[in-house]
Amino acid sequence: MTNGLGNGELTSILRELSNYSPVPLSSGSYADVNPRVAEREAFRLAIKAGPGESLVNGSDDGIVAIAHIDLIDSTSSTAWTSSYQLYEHVWGVVNQVRLYLAPYGGITLYLGGDNIVSIIQPIIREEDIRPLASLVNARIGVGIARNGKVAMKLATEALDTLRSRNNHRVLVLRED
């Protein structure tokens, strides 16, 4: 399963999308507590899969953790800089986040604006992330749940709570 989709459903979607794609499509799914390991092995499976085929190894019944990172006051800094300099700054921060969270299995993605997301190991603790919040001047909401959709929802709720309190720290929310 890939975030709620069974392999049959995924294969059906791949075959339908293949009608519109100029290149052959394939998919690989792999589950591991370490997101970097899961991504690497899923990529290897996708390479092995034939066109319109999805290969799966492992089950999707583990816990997922997502960190939603919001840079503080980055928009107001455009008053003393330019939009391109802000863009450069944000990409530098994305790299800092990527490097900091890599030992926690982090796969870091830039969402746009001043928002970054990282898929991390669910064993991470608030005290593991607090130094990152200080380093990059950010609020970090972390969601831990049985699937990515719920984990992201919780991460965003945690971030919204920090924003409402004007808190520059980390908040971890776990699914009941």
Side-chain angles (χ1 to χ4, degrees), residues 10-90:
L10 189 55
T11 300
S12 177
I13 291 168
L14 281 172
R15 289 189 177 141
E16 179 65 28
L17 290 174
S18 292
N19 294 327
Y20 306 100
S21 176
V23 296
L25 301 177
S26 63
S27 171
S29 295
Y30 191 94
D32 193 276
V33 69
N34 186 316
R36 287 177 166 262
V37 171
E39 185 278 329
R40 182 188 67 227
E41 296 304 319
F43 179 73
R44 289 179 178 165
L45 289 172
I47 296 297
K48 287 180 186 177
E53 185 179 24
S54 176
L55 296 179
V56 176
N57 188 340
S59 68
D60 231 4
D61 59 358
I63 302 296
V64 178
I66 296 179
H68 189 174
I69 301 150
D70 177 49
L71 305 181
I72 297 169
D73 294 330
S74 65
T75 306
S76 65
S77 67
T78 57
W80 53 266
T81 187
S82 72
S83 61
Y84 186 75
Q85 286 174 320
L86 178 59
Y87 167 82
E88 286 179 320
H89 169 71
V90 169

Side-chain angles (χ1 to χ4, degrees), residues 3 64-69 109 111 115-119 141-160 163 173 175:
N3 209 19
V64 178
I66 296 179
H68 189 174
I69 301 150
L109 307 160
L111 295 181
N115 289 277
I116 302 163
V117 70
S118 192
I119 305 161
V142 178
I144 301 175
R146 281 173 272 171
N147 68 55
K149 184 176 181 179
V150 175
M152 186 64 193
K153 179 180 178 279
L154 290 172
T156 301
E157 284 177 19
L159 190 56
D160 288 343
R163 285 177 181 142
L173 296 181
E175 184 177 41

Side-chain angles (χ1 to χ4, degrees), residues 69-74 93 131-139 168:
I69 301 150
D70 177 49
L71 305 181
I72 297 169
D73 294 330
S74 65
V93 171
L132 176 62
S134 296
L135 176 69
V136 298
N137 192 27
R139 295 178 184 98
H168 297 66

Side-chain angles (χ1 to χ4, degrees), residues 92-148:
V93 171
V94 169
N95 195 47
Q96 286 179 301
V97 169
R98 180 187 64 78
L99 292 171
Y100 186 92
L101 292 176
Y104 300 98
I107 296 176
T108 302
L109 307 160
Y110 175 55
L111 295 181
D114 60 0
N115 289 277
I116 302 163
V117 70
S118 192
I119 305 161
I120 52 181
Q121 291 182 19
I123 57 171
I124 201 157
R125 302 167 303 159
E126 273 186 41
E127 50 269 18
D128 297 328
I129 303 176
R130 256 188 233 123
L132 176 62
S134 296
L135 176 69
V136 298
N137 192 27
R139 295 178 184 98
I140 303 175
V142 178
I144 301 175
R146 281 173 272 171
N147 68 55

